[in-house]
Amino acid sequence: MLAIFAIACNEKKETKTSSTELTAEEKTDKDNIKKIFDSALTNGKSYEWLRDLTTNVGGRLSGSPEAAMAVKWGEKVMKEVGLDSVWLQPAIVPHWVRGEKEVAYFVSKGKKTAMAVCALGGSVATPNKGVMAEVIEVKSIKEAQALGEKATGKIIFFNRPFDNTLINTFRAYGGCVDQRTRGAATVGEFGALAVIVRSMTNNIDNYPHTGTMQYGDTPKSDYIPAAAISTLAAENLSKSLKADPKLKIYLRQTSENLPKEKSFNVIGEIRGSENPEKVIVVGGHLDSWDLGDGAHDDGTGIVQSLEVLHIFKMNNIKPKNTIRVVFFMDEEQGGGGADAYAHAAKLTDENHLGGLESDAGGHTPRGFTIDANEGNTKLLKAWKKLLSPYGLHDIEKGGSGADIAPLKANHTTLVGYRPDSQRYFDYHHAASDTFDKVNKRELELGSASMASMIYLMDKYLENPDSIKQ
Ligand SMILES: [Zn+2]
Protein backbone atom coordinates (compact mmCIF):
# COMPACT_ATOMS: atom_id res chain seq x y z
CA MET A 1 0.00 0.00 0.00
CA LEU A 2 2.69 2.41 1.08
CA ALA A 3 4.67 1.70 -2.07
CA ILE A 4 1.64 2.37 -4.27
CA PHE A 5 1.02 5.66 -2.46
CA ALA A 6 4.63 6.71 -3.00
CA ILE A 7 4.41 5.98 -6.74
CA ALA A 8 1.15 7.95 -7.03
CA CYS A 9 2.74 10.95 -5.30
CA ASN A 10 5.77 10.83 -7.56
CA GLU A 11 3.62 10.70 -10.67
CA LYS A 12 1.72 13.77 -9.54
CA LYS A 13 4.92 15.66 -8.82
CA GLU A 14 6.45 14.67 -12.16
CA THR A 15 3.43 15.79 -14.21
CA LYS A 16 3.43 19.16 -12.51
CA THR A 17 7.14 19.78 -13.02
CA SER A 18 7.18 18.82 -16.68
CA SER A 19 3.97 20.67 -17.62
CA THR A 20 5.36 23.94 -16.24
CA GLU A 21 8.19 23.61 -18.78
CA LEU A 22 5.86 23.24 -21.75
CA THR A 23 4.67 26.04 -24.00
CA ALA A 24 0.95 26.29 -24.87
CA GLU A 25 1.64 24.63 -28.21
CA GLU A 26 3.55 21.83 -26.54
CA LYS A 27 0.65 21.29 -24.13
CA THR A 28 -1.61 20.75 -27.15
CA ASP A 29 0.97 18.31 -28.52
CA LYS A 30 1.17 16.54 -25.17
CA ASP A 31 -2.63 16.08 -25.12
CA ASN A 32 -2.70 14.84 -28.72
CA ILE A 33 0.11 12.37 -28.10
CA LYS A 34 -1.80 11.04 -25.08
CA LYS A 35 -4.86 10.56 -27.33
CA ILE A 36 -2.69 8.77 -29.90
CA PHE A 37 -1.38 6.32 -27.29
CA ASP A 38 -4.81 5.83 -25.70
CA SER A 39 -6.43 4.92 -29.01
CA ALA A 40 -3.58 2.61 -30.11
CA LEU A 41 -3.72 0.71 -26.82
CA THR A 42 -7.50 0.40 -26.73
CA ASN A 43 -8.72 0.36 -30.35
CA GLY A 44 -5.64 -0.54 -32.36
CA LYS A 45 -5.91 -3.05 -35.18
CA SER A 46 -2.23 -3.81 -35.83
CA TYR A 47 -2.16 -7.06 -33.84
CA GLU A 48 -5.15 -8.57 -35.66
CA TRP A 49 -3.76 -7.44 -39.04
CA LEU A 50 -0.50 -9.17 -38.17
CA ARG A 51 -2.31 -12.35 -37.09
CA ASP A 52 -4.17 -12.35 -40.42
CA LEU A 53 -1.04 -11.76 -42.55
CA THR A 54 1.18 -14.28 -40.75
CA THR A 55 -1.52 -16.97 -40.50
CA ASN A 56 -3.23 -16.67 -43.88
CA VAL A 57 -0.28 -15.61 -46.06
CA GLY A 58 2.77 -16.64 -44.02
CA GLY A 59 6.36 -16.30 -45.30
CA ARG A 60 6.43 -14.22 -48.50
CA LEU A 61 9.63 -14.31 -50.51
CA SER A 62 9.89 -11.71 -53.29
CA GLY A 63 8.51 -13.08 -56.54
CA SER A 64 6.66 -15.97 -54.83
CA PRO A 65 2.90 -16.71 -55.00
CA GLU A 66 2.76 -15.81 -51.27
CA ALA A 67 4.22 -12.35 -52.01
CA ALA A 68 1.48 -11.86 -54.63
CA MET A 69 -1.10 -12.86 -51.98
CA ALA A 70 0.48 -10.37 -49.56
CA VAL A 71 0.03 -7.57 -52.13
CA LYS A 72 -3.69 -8.38 -52.37
CA TRP A 73 -3.89 -8.56 -48.58
CA GLY A 74 -2.18 -5.16 -48.22
CA GLU A 75 -4.55 -3.53 -50.68
CA LYS A 76 -7.56 -4.98 -48.85
CA VAL A 77 -6.53 -3.79 -45.35
CA MET A 78 -5.58 -0.33 -46.60
CA LYS A 79 -9.01 0.01 -48.21
CA GLU A 80 -10.69 -1.09 -44.95
CA VAL A 81 -9.01 1.80 -43.10
CA GLY A 82 -10.80 4.22 -45.43
CA LEU A 83 -7.79 6.10 -46.81
CA ASP A 84 -8.29 8.80 -49.46
CA SER A 85 -6.57 6.62 -52.04
CA VAL A 86 -4.93 3.21 -52.30
CA TRP A 87 -2.88 1.99 -55.27
CA LEU A 88 -0.29 -0.53 -56.42
CA GLN A 89 3.08 0.59 -57.76
CA PRO A 90 4.87 -1.88 -60.06
CA ALA A 91 8.34 -3.10 -59.07
CA ILE A 92 10.67 -5.68 -60.59
CA VAL A 93 11.92 -8.22 -58.05
CA PRO A 94 14.15 -11.32 -57.90
CA HIS A 95 12.57 -14.75 -57.79
CA TRP A 96 14.77 -17.14 -55.84
CA VAL A 97 13.41 -20.51 -54.75
CA ARG A 98 14.77 -22.63 -51.91
CA GLY A 99 13.91 -25.98 -53.48
CA GLU A 100 14.07 -29.24 -51.52
CA LYS A 101 14.94 -29.35 -47.82
CA GLU A 102 18.70 -28.85 -47.53
CA VAL A 103 20.93 -31.59 -46.08
CA ALA A 104 24.22 -31.06 -44.25
CA TYR A 105 26.33 -33.23 -42.00
CA PHE A 106 29.96 -33.80 -41.18
CA VAL A 107 31.78 -37.10 -41.04
CA SER A 108 34.58 -37.60 -38.55
CA LYS A 109 36.21 -40.94 -37.85
CA GLY A 110 33.37 -42.76 -39.58
CA LYS A 111 30.68 -40.97 -37.54
CA LYS A 112 28.03 -38.78 -39.21
CA THR A 113 26.77 -35.69 -37.33
CA ALA A 114 23.78 -33.83 -38.79
CA MET A 115 23.82 -30.03 -38.91
CA ALA A 116 20.75 -27.73 -38.98
CA VAL A 117 21.16 -25.94 -42.33
CA CYS A 118 19.42 -23.63 -44.80
CA ALA A 119 20.46 -22.22 -48.17
CA LEU A 120 21.21 -18.48 -48.30
CA GLY A 121 18.95 -16.31 -50.43
CA GLY A 122 20.32 -15.93 -53.96
CA SER A 123 22.57 -18.99 -53.68
CA VAL A 124 22.93 -21.53 -56.47
CA ALA A 125 22.39 -25.25 -55.86
CA THR A 126 25.02 -27.88 -55.17
CA PRO A 127 25.34 -30.63 -57.81
CA ASN A 128 22.35 -32.95 -57.44
CA LYS A 129 24.33 -35.53 -55.52
CA GLY A 130 25.66 -32.84 -53.17
CA VAL A 131 29.25 -31.87 -52.37
CA MET A 132 31.58 -33.50 -49.87
CA ALA A 133 34.94 -32.04 -48.95
CA GLU A 134 37.40 -31.18 -46.22
CA VAL A 135 36.86 -27.93 -44.40
CA ILE A 136 38.82 -24.77 -43.69
CA GLU A 137 37.49 -22.62 -40.85
CA VAL A 138 38.00 -18.85 -41.11
CA LYS A 139 36.83 -15.92 -39.01
CA SER A 140 36.85 -13.13 -41.57
CA ILE A 141 36.71 -12.17 -45.25
CA LYS A 142 40.36 -11.08 -44.95
CA GLU A 143 41.38 -14.51 -43.70
CA ALA A 144 39.41 -16.11 -46.57
CA GLN A 145 41.08 -13.81 -49.13
CA ALA A 146 44.49 -14.96 -47.90
CA LEU A 147 43.65 -18.64 -48.54
CA GLY A 148 44.26 -18.48 -52.29
CA GLU A 149 44.80 -21.97 -53.75
CA LYS A 150 44.52 -23.59 -50.32
CA ALA A 151 40.75 -23.13 -50.74
CA THR A 152 40.61 -25.21 -53.95
CA GLY A 153 38.37 -28.25 -53.56
CA LYS A 154 37.47 -27.33 -49.97
CA ILE A 155 34.36 -26.14 -48.16
CA ILE A 156 35.05 -22.84 -46.40
CA PHE A 157 33.44 -22.41 -42.99
CA PHE A 158 32.94 -18.77 -41.84
CA ASN A 159 32.62 -18.81 -38.06
CA ARG A 160 33.02 -15.30 -36.60
CA PRO A 161 30.42 -14.97 -33.80
CA PHE A 162 28.44 -11.88 -32.78
CA ASP A 163 30.30 -9.58 -30.40
CA ASN A 164 28.11 -10.03 -27.33
CA THR A 165 29.63 -7.02 -25.58
CA LEU A 166 27.78 -4.70 -27.98
CA ILE A 167 24.53 -3.49 -26.38
CA ASN A 168 22.88 -2.69 -29.72
CA THR A 169 22.60 -6.11 -31.40
CA PHE A 170 22.27 -4.47 -34.85
CA ARG A 171 25.90 -3.40 -34.44
CA ALA A 172 26.89 -7.00 -33.68
CA TYR A 173 24.99 -8.12 -36.79
CA GLY A 174 26.68 -5.39 -38.85
CA GLY A 175 30.04 -6.64 -37.60
CA CYS A 176 29.46 -10.19 -38.88
CA VAL A 177 27.10 -10.13 -41.84
CA ASP A 178 29.81 -9.69 -44.49
CA GLN A 179 30.58 -13.40 -43.99
CA ARG A 180 27.07 -14.20 -45.20
CA THR A 181 26.82 -11.61 -47.98
CA ARG A 182 30.37 -11.85 -49.40
CA GLY A 183 31.73 -15.23 -48.25
CA ALA A 184 30.92 -17.18 -51.44
CA ALA A 185 32.09 -14.36 -53.74
CA THR A 186 35.40 -14.23 -51.86
CA VAL A 187 36.41 -17.89 -52.23
CA GLY A 188 34.55 -18.89 -55.43
CA GLU A 189 37.42 -17.73 -57.62
CA PHE A 190 39.88 -19.94 -55.65
CA GLY A 191 37.90 -23.04 -56.62
CA ALA A 192 36.26 -23.65 -53.23
CA LEU A 193 33.29 -26.03 -53.55
CA ALA A 194 30.88 -24.34 -51.13
CA VAL A 195 30.58 -21.94 -48.23
CA ILE A 196 29.03 -22.68 -44.83
CA VAL A 197 28.29 -19.66 -42.62
CA ARG A 198 27.58 -19.47 -38.90
CA SER A 199 24.04 -18.09 -38.41
CA MET A 200 23.68 -14.39 -37.64
CA THR A 201 22.39 -14.47 -34.05
CA ASN A 202 23.57 -13.95 -30.47
CA ASN A 203 21.78 -17.12 -29.39
CA ILE A 204 23.36 -20.52 -29.29
CA ASP A 205 20.49 -22.65 -30.56
CA ASN A 206 19.59 -24.97 -33.39
CA TYR A 207 17.85 -22.56 -35.82
CA PRO A 208 19.68 -21.82 -39.08
CA HIS A 209 19.13 -18.17 -40.13
CA THR A 210 18.89 -17.40 -43.84
CA GLY A 211 19.45 -14.02 -45.50
CA THR A 212 20.71 -12.62 -48.73
CA MET A 213 24.13 -13.28 -50.30
CA GLN A 214 25.63 -11.78 -53.46
CA TYR A 215 28.07 -13.04 -56.05
CA GLY A 216 29.00 -9.46 -57.02
CA ASP A 217 31.10 -9.37 -60.17
CA THR A 218 32.26 -13.00 -59.79
CA PRO A 219 32.04 -14.75 -63.20
CA LYS A 220 29.10 -17.16 -63.30
CA SER A 221 31.46 -20.13 -63.64
CA ASP A 222 32.79 -19.34 -60.14
CA TYR A 223 29.38 -19.21 -58.42
CA ILE A 224 29.44 -21.64 -55.49
CA PRO A 225 26.60 -22.66 -53.14
CA ALA A 226 26.29 -20.91 -49.77
CA ALA A 227 24.37 -22.09 -46.72
CA ALA A 228 23.98 -21.14 -43.06
CA ILE A 229 24.19 -23.60 -40.19
CA SER A 230 22.80 -23.04 -36.69
CA THR A 231 25.13 -21.57 -34.07
CA LEU A 232 24.93 -24.85 -32.15
CA ALA A 233 26.07 -26.75 -35.25
CA ALA A 234 28.82 -24.15 -35.84
CA GLU A 235 30.16 -24.52 -32.29
CA ASN A 236 30.11 -28.30 -32.61
CA LEU A 237 31.75 -28.26 -36.05
CA SER A 238 34.51 -25.93 -34.86
CA LYS A 239 35.23 -28.15 -31.83
CA SER A 240 35.22 -31.30 -33.96
CA LEU A 241 37.57 -29.70 -36.52
CA LYS A 242 40.14 -29.07 -33.80
CA ALA A 243 40.01 -32.76 -32.87
CA ASP A 244 39.94 -33.97 -36.49
CA PRO A 245 41.19 -31.41 -39.06
CA LYS A 246 40.52 -33.95 -41.85
CA LEU A 247 36.78 -34.27 -41.19
CA LYS A 248 34.51 -33.79 -44.20
CA ILE A 249 31.27 -31.86 -44.68
CA TYR A 250 28.45 -32.98 -46.94
CA LEU A 251 26.03 -30.35 -48.29
CA ARG A 252 23.11 -30.68 -50.67
CA GLN A 253 20.71 -27.92 -51.72
CA THR A 254 18.58 -27.36 -54.81
CA SER A 255 17.99 -23.59 -54.59
CA GLU A 256 17.64 -21.65 -57.83
CA ASN A 257 17.44 -18.13 -59.26
CA LEU A 258 14.47 -17.89 -61.63
CA PRO A 259 13.80 -14.97 -64.01
CA LYS A 260 12.82 -11.70 -62.32
CA GLU A 261 9.12 -11.12 -61.60
CA LYS A 262 6.78 -8.15 -61.70
CA SER A 263 5.47 -7.32 -58.25
CA PHE A 264 4.15 -4.25 -56.42
CA ASN A 265 4.53 -1.81 -53.57
CA VAL A 266 1.19 -1.24 -51.86
CA ILE A 267 0.53 2.43 -51.18
CA GLY A 268 -2.23 4.41 -49.46
CA GLU A 269 -2.56 7.98 -48.24
CA ILE A 270 -4.50 10.61 -46.36
CA ARG A 271 -4.31 13.81 -48.40
CA GLY A 272 -2.92 16.89 -46.66
CA SER A 273 -5.42 19.59 -45.68
CA GLU A 274 -3.01 22.49 -46.36
CA ASN A 275 -0.16 21.13 -48.49
CA PRO A 276 -1.44 18.03 -50.30
CA GLU A 277 1.59 18.16 -52.61
CA LYS A 278 4.00 17.61 -49.72
CA VAL A 279 4.41 14.02 -48.62
CA ILE A 280 5.49 12.30 -45.41
CA VAL A 281 6.05 8.57 -45.91
CA VAL A 282 5.72 5.87 -43.28
CA GLY A 283 6.48 2.26 -44.12
CA GLY A 284 8.09 -1.13 -43.77
CA HIS A 285 8.58 -4.10 -46.08
CA LEU A 286 5.91 -6.52 -47.19
CA ASP A 287 8.20 -9.34 -48.36
CA SER A 288 9.92 -11.65 -45.88
CA TRP A 289 12.03 -14.78 -45.73
CA ASP A 290 10.31 -18.12 -46.10
CA LEU A 291 11.40 -20.14 -43.06
CA GLY A 292 9.09 -18.44 -40.55
CA ASP A 293 6.02 -16.31 -41.22
CA GLY A 294 7.85 -12.96 -41.29
CA ALA A 295 6.25 -11.65 -38.10
CA HIS A 296 9.01 -9.45 -36.63
CA ASP A 297 10.71 -9.00 -40.03
CA ASP A 298 8.83 -7.09 -41.12
CA GLY A 299 5.16 -7.89 -40.54
CA THR A 300 5.25 -5.69 -37.44
CA GLY A 301 6.70 -2.77 -39.42
CA ILE A 302 3.96 -2.74 -42.02
CA VAL A 303 1.02 -3.13 -39.61
CA GLN A 304 2.47 -0.40 -37.39
CA SER A 305 2.85 1.88 -40.42
CA LEU A 306 -0.78 1.38 -41.47
CA GLU A 307 -1.86 1.84 -37.85
CA VAL A 308 -0.34 5.34 -37.92
CA LEU A 309 -2.92 6.38 -40.53
CA HIS A 310 -5.67 4.45 -38.73
CA ILE A 311 -4.84 6.34 -35.51
CA PHE A 312 -5.08 9.66 -37.40
CA LYS A 313 -8.52 8.61 -38.68
CA MET A 314 -9.72 7.41 -35.24
CA ASN A 315 -8.71 10.70 -33.61
CA ASN A 316 -9.89 12.86 -36.47
CA ILE A 317 -6.38 14.30 -36.86
CA LYS A 318 -6.30 16.13 -40.19
CA PRO A 319 -2.66 16.29 -41.30
CA LYS A 320 -1.40 19.46 -43.01
CA ASN A 321 0.69 17.41 -45.42
CA THR A 322 -0.13 14.17 -47.20
CA ILE A 323 0.63 11.16 -44.98
CA ARG A 324 1.43 8.14 -47.11
CA VAL A 325 1.87 4.52 -46.01
CA VAL A 326 4.03 2.28 -48.19
CA PHE A 327 4.33 -1.51 -47.92
CA PHE A 328 7.62 -1.87 -49.81
CA MET A 329 8.25 -5.07 -51.78
CA ASP A 330 11.63 -6.82 -51.87
CA GLU A 331 13.64 -5.24 -49.08
CA GLU A 332 15.26 -8.58 -48.34
CA GLN A 333 16.65 -9.48 -51.75
CA GLY A 334 17.70 -6.24 -53.35
CA GLY A 335 15.27 -3.38 -52.71
CA GLY A 336 13.32 -3.52 -55.99
CA GLY A 337 10.36 -1.81 -54.28
CA ALA A 338 12.48 0.94 -52.73
CA ASP A 339 14.07 1.64 -56.12
CA ALA A 340 10.68 1.77 -57.86
CA TYR A 341 9.31 4.17 -55.24
CA ALA A 342 12.32 6.51 -55.30
CA HIS A 343 12.39 6.44 -59.10
CA ALA A 344 8.70 7.37 -59.37
CA ALA A 345 9.14 10.16 -56.81
CA LYS A 346 12.04 11.56 -58.82
CA LEU A 347 10.19 11.35 -62.13
CA THR A 348 7.26 13.38 -60.82
CA ASP A 349 9.55 15.62 -58.74
CA GLU A 350 7.44 14.79 -55.70
CA ASN A 351 8.16 16.86 -52.60
CA HIS A 352 9.03 14.46 -49.78
CA LEU A 353 9.09 16.32 -46.51
CA GLY A 354 9.93 13.29 -44.38
CA GLY A 355 9.98 9.54 -44.02
CA LEU A 356 9.77 7.04 -41.16
CA GLU A 357 10.61 3.35 -41.45
CA SER A 358 9.92 0.48 -39.08
CA ASP A 359 12.16 -2.50 -39.87
CA ALA A 360 13.81 -3.43 -36.60
CA GLY A 361 11.19 -5.74 -35.10
CA GLY A 362 8.11 -5.24 -32.95
CA HIS A 363 9.64 -5.13 -29.48
CA THR A 364 9.35 -2.41 -26.79
CA PRO A 365 9.86 1.11 -28.19
CA ARG A 366 13.12 2.83 -27.29
CA GLY A 367 13.27 5.78 -29.68
CA PHE A 368 14.22 6.94 -33.15
CA THR A 369 17.36 7.58 -35.22
CA ILE A 370 17.45 10.68 -37.40
CA ASP A 371 19.08 11.14 -40.79
CA ALA A 372 18.56 14.85 -41.54
CA ASN A 373 20.33 18.19 -41.76
CA GLU A 374 21.52 19.82 -38.54
CA GLY A 375 18.48 22.03 -38.08
CA ASN A 376 15.94 19.28 -38.38
CA THR A 377 18.04 16.86 -36.30
CA LYS A 378 17.95 19.45 -33.51
CA LEU A 379 14.22 19.99 -34.03
CA LEU A 380 13.44 16.28 -33.70
CA LYS A 381 15.74 15.78 -30.72
CA ALA A 382 13.87 18.52 -28.85
CA TRP A 383 10.70 16.38 -29.04
CA LYS A 384 12.29 14.06 -26.49
CA LYS A 385 10.50 15.90 -23.69
CA LEU A 386 7.13 15.05 -25.28
CA LEU A 387 8.09 11.45 -26.13
CA SER A 388 10.17 10.30 -23.16
CA PRO A 389 7.12 9.70 -20.90
CA TYR A 390 6.36 6.84 -23.32
CA GLY A 391 9.79 5.23 -22.98
CA LEU A 392 11.16 6.96 -26.09
CA HIS A 393 14.46 8.12 -24.64
CA ASP A 394 16.86 7.37 -27.48
CA ILE A 395 16.40 10.05 -30.14
CA GLU A 396 19.76 10.38 -31.84
CA LYS A 397 21.46 10.93 -35.18
CA GLY A 398 21.66 7.70 -37.20
CA GLY A 399 20.35 5.78 -40.20
CA SER A 400 16.69 5.46 -41.18
CA GLY A 401 16.01 2.30 -43.15
CA ALA A 402 16.81 0.58 -46.44
CA ASP A 403 13.44 1.34 -48.08
CA ILE A 404 13.30 5.09 -47.45
CA ALA A 405 17.07 5.78 -47.62
CA PRO A 406 16.98 6.32 -51.44
CA LEU A 407 14.80 9.43 -50.77
CA LYS A 408 17.75 11.11 -49.07
CA ALA A 409 18.76 12.92 -52.23
CA ASN A 410 15.68 15.08 -51.85
CA HIS A 411 16.92 16.53 -48.53
CA THR A 412 14.11 14.67 -46.84
CA THR A 413 14.17 14.24 -43.05
CA LEU A 414 14.45 10.48 -42.61
CA VAL A 415 13.76 8.65 -39.37
CA GLY A 416 14.19 5.03 -38.24
CA TYR A 417 11.93 3.60 -35.55
CA ARG A 418 14.10 1.88 -32.89
CA PRO A 419 12.57 -0.74 -30.63
CA ASP A 420 14.60 -2.71 -28.12
CA SER A 421 17.05 -4.91 -30.04
CA GLN A 422 17.89 -7.65 -27.50
CA ARG A 423 15.56 -10.39 -28.83
CA TYR A 424 15.40 -9.40 -32.50
CA PHE A 425 18.23 -11.65 -33.71
CA ASP A 426 16.77 -14.65 -31.86
CA TYR A 427 14.16 -14.72 -34.64
CA HIS A 428 15.62 -12.72 -37.54
CA HIS A 429 15.39 -14.71 -40.84
CA ALA A 430 14.77 -17.99 -38.95
CA ALA A 431 11.87 -20.43 -38.65
CA SER A 432 11.27 -18.95 -35.19
CA ASP A 433 10.13 -15.58 -36.61
CA THR A 434 6.45 -16.29 -36.02
CA PHE A 435 3.36 -14.43 -34.80
CA ASP A 436 3.50 -15.92 -31.29
CA LYS A 437 6.81 -14.07 -30.68
CA VAL A 438 5.08 -10.68 -31.02
CA ASN A 439 3.65 -9.09 -27.89
CA LYS A 440 0.42 -7.19 -28.56
CA ARG A 441 1.19 -4.33 -26.21
CA GLU A 442 4.75 -3.82 -27.42
CA LEU A 443 3.48 -3.79 -31.01
CA GLU A 444 0.79 -1.21 -30.20
CA LEU A 445 3.17 1.00 -28.22
CA GLY A 446 5.34 1.00 -31.35
CA SER A 447 2.42 2.06 -33.57
CA ALA A 448 1.61 4.90 -31.16
CA SER A 449 5.27 5.97 -30.97
CA MET A 450 5.40 6.13 -34.77
CA ALA A 451 2.06 7.97 -35.00
CA SER A 452 3.33 10.55 -32.46
CA MET A 453 6.51 11.05 -34.51
CA ILE A 454 4.49 11.49 -37.73
CA TYR A 455 2.11 13.89 -35.95
CA LEU A 456 5.07 16.07 -34.87
CA MET A 457 6.82 15.84 -38.25
CA ASP A 458 3.61 16.89 -40.00
CA LYS A 459 3.18 19.85 -37.68
CA TYR A 460 6.75 21.15 -37.48
CA LEU A 461 8.86 20.00 -40.42
CA GLU A 462 9.84 22.73 -42.83
CA ASN A 463 9.61 22.53 -46.55
CA PRO A 464 12.84 20.91 -47.77
CA ASP A 465 13.10 23.64 -50.44
CA SER A 466 13.65 26.19 -47.71
CA ILE A 467 16.20 24.13 -45.78
CA LYS A 468 19.79 25.19 -46.16
CA GLN A 469 21.88 22.02 -46.32
ZN1 LIG B 1 13.50 -6.46 -42.53
Side-chain angles (χ1 to χ4, degrees), residues 359-437:
D359 185 16
H363 295 111
T364 305
R366 293 276 192 228
F368 300 94
T369 43
I370 310 158
D371 183 2
N373 63 6
E374 220 174 289
N376 279 341
T377 304
K378 211 172 140 195
L379 176 74
L380 268 67
K381 280 172 97 166
W383 298 339
K384 210 185 272 190
K385 65 177 162 184
L386 290 164
L387 299 174
S388 63
Y390 300 94
L392 298 161
H393 300 288
D394 305 336
I395 303 178
E396 304 298 337
K397 220 172 165 47
S400 57
D403 285 316
I404 62 171
L407 297 170
K408 192 177 157 101
N410 297 343
H411 308 302
T412 306
T413 294
L414 300 175
V415 181
Y417 167 59
R418 299 293 162 214
D420 185 83
S421 73
Q422 301 314 318
R423 285 166 287 155
Y424 185 58
F425 290 95
D426 294 0
Y427 316 129
H428 182 252
H429 299 181
S432 51
D433 184 9
T434 48
F435 178 67
D436 56 302
K437 308 303 188 315

Side-chain angles (χ1 to χ4, degrees), residues 26 71 87-88 133 148 440 461:
E26 285 170 339
V71 167
W87 71 98
L88 302 183
K440 180 172 185 284
L461 270 188

